[in-house]
Amino acid sequence: MEPDFGRLIIRSADGERVVTLRQPQYTIGRNPARDLHLDSPVVSNMHGRIEAGPQGAQLIDLGSTNGTFIGERRLPPNQPYPLVPGEEVRIGPFLLIYVPPGVTYPPEEVALPVAEAPEPLPIVVERPSAAEALFDEAAAGEEGAGGESAAAVETPEAPGAPPAPPEAPVFVAQEFPERMPVRYTAPPDGLDSRYLRYLPAIFQENEFLGRYLRIFETIWEPLEWRQNHINLYFDPRTCPPSFLPWLAGWLDLAINPYWPESRIRRLIAEAADLYRWRGTAYGLKRLIEVVTGLTPTITEHPAQPFVFHVSLVIPPGSDVDAILIDDLVRTHKPAHAGYILDIRHG
């Protein structure tokens, strides 16, 4: 018997589909190779992962670009989130709803019985004992002898009267001593060095030592920052513009130097995944989508095998033209396949 870890309802503008969770792990992404294929440009290639089991299911966002949301709250990346039955998880234009095994969704309304109001409890007034009464009389006599007025003496409550409500407790805030400020502060002129804060306090008052250490800070700080963040230089999203042709040469990408910088960064960032799907209709569609930001329609008719029909609508004001689309299709299509372009201006 196949395992049943529940169901996942996926809703979008195209309708609703239900996926029965029968394996312990499902990948989510725009790539057709993912277990749960969500075809939308705002869904990342490897968007997230669902881990299911007899105890329930949990969702992990794998650092997606546009994020995964529960209501208005974005899930932190790479942290498991337990899926609550009936709760809507939003990924781009899709809504995901987890339903545990054996549970119907939406749940049927059940009329709950109206609970009767409980009977009021009788009020019991405790009467003081004889010893307590004698002690109260003696205390009242001492107060009267000391000049106190009789009005200050409390009168006993009448039998059967409800007890007086207890006084509200008084909370006294505990006082803490103020924290002493940090002794070292850099002067506004910027001649002092931040390295002084790592020295004993006796050296922090030396003006000459602060200006002397400032020389080493000026030399070493840029080098330390570059060494600590060297990974930013190998990421096409954060590297300097002069590094982009160098990174493109690593991947054997033909980059037009007149392209906008954002277009070159997108292409290099997606190059590894585009090479996996090169020669397919999905790979060609994704390539045009990455470079131009426009989503084309690519079809293959049985009457014309090995021919790609590429349709694209270019909105007004776009810097994309037919020459760019023709170059992309001709360079990245299979060598034995032909193509037909249908480009219109919206």
Side-chain angles (χ1 to χ4, degrees):
M1 182 178 180
E2 294 183 351
D4 185 5
F5 300 136
R7 292 171 295 154
L8 192 68
I9 301 176
I10 303 176
R11 294 176 178 174
S12 65
D14 297 333
E16 177 179 300
R17 59 190 175 108
V18 180
V19 178
T20 303
L21 305 179
R22 301 192 181 279
Q23 59 190 35
Q25 189 177 103
Y26 285 82
T27 56
I28 305 174
R30 185 183 63 247
N31 196 314
R34 306 296 172 233
D35 299 322
L36 300 178
H37 176 215
L38 304 182
D39 190 8
S40 174
V42 298
V43 179
S44 298
N45 177 30
M46 186 64 171
H47 197 99
R49 184 175 69 248
I50 290 181
E51 297 178 354
Q55 305 300 328
Q58 59 183 5
L59 174 64
I60 302 175
D61 184 280
L62 300 178
S64 59
T65 302
N66 297 302
T68 303
F69 293 85
I70 305 294
E72 299 297 329
R73 179 169 61 92
R74 180 170 180 169
L75 297 183
N78 302 314
Q79 295 186 18
Y81 175 81
L83 292 178
V84 179
E87 189 176 52
E88 294 183 350
V89 179
R90 179 165 55 88
I91 299 179
F94 299 90
L95 291 179
L96 280 63
I97 303 174
Y98 172 69
V99 181
V103 177
T104 58
Y105 186 85
E108 300 178 356
E109 297 184 357
V110 180
L112 300 177
V114 181
E116 298 181 356
E119 297 181 359
L121 299 177
I123 301 175
V124 179
V125 180
E126 296 184 359
R127 296 183 178 181
S129 61
E132 294 175 348
L134 292 176
F135 179 79
D136 294 340
E137 291 178 1
E142 293 177 359
E143 292 178 358
E148 296 284 345
S149 62
V153 181
E154 296 182 359
T155 57
E157 297 179 356
E167 297 182 359
V170 179
F171 298 96
V172 179
Q174 186 178 2
E175 297 182 357
F176 292 90
E178 296 183 359
R179 184 177 178 180
M180 297 299 295
V182 181
R183 184 172 183 179
Y184 169 78
T185 55
D189 54 7
L191 296 178
D192 210 347
S193 173
R194 293 181 301 172
Y195 290 174
L196 283 178
R197 69 185 65 180
Y198 302 105
L199 298 179
I202 189 174
F203 297 105
Q204 296 183 10
E205 301 173 356
N206 193 319
E207 180 182 357
F208 171 75
L209 185 59
R211 289 187 284 110
Y212 181 71
L213 292 178
R214 181 68 175 174
I215 300 175
F216 294 93
E217 182 181 356
T218 305
I219 298 174
W220 287 108
E221 280 295 318
L223 299 178
E224 291 179 1
W225 188 94
R226 183 175 300 176
Q227 181 179 357
N228 295 336
H229 302 85
I230 192 64
N231 59 303
L232 299 178
Y233 289 85
F234 296 94
D235 191 336
R237 295 168 295 184
T238 56
C239 71
S242 59
F243 270 56
L244 292 175
W246 184 56
L247 293 179
W250 277 17
L251 302 172
D252 194 23
L253 288 177
I255 298 298
N256 191 331
Y258 299 102
W259 281 359
E261 180 182 331
S262 58
R263 180 182 301 173
I264 300 176
R265 292 184 184 273
R266 285 198 308 264
L267 180 59
I268 298 176
E270 297 280 350
D273 189 66
L274 291 175
Y275 276 134
R276 293 181 53 206
W277 294 93
R278 190 169 187 176
T280 64
Y282 172 78
L284 192 58
K285 172 186 175 183
R286 183 60 188 151
L287 174 70
I288 299 175
E289 192 176 62
V290 168
V291 175
T292 65
L294 307 177
T295 303
T297 301
I298 300 179
T299 57
E300 298 178 74
H301 299 285
Q304 292 179 316
F306 308 111
V307 176
F308 289 151
H309 293 257
V310 182
S311 301
L312 181 65
V313 178
I314 300 177
S318 177
D319 60 345
V320 179
D321 53 12
I323 299 177
L324 174 61
I325 303 300
D326 184 76
D327 291 340
L328 293 176
V329 175
R330 184 177 66 256
T331 305
H332 295 274
K333 71 174 183 62
H336 63 278
Y339 64 96
I340 299 176
L341 291 181
D342 181 13
I343 299 178
R344 291 168 293 171
H345 294 271

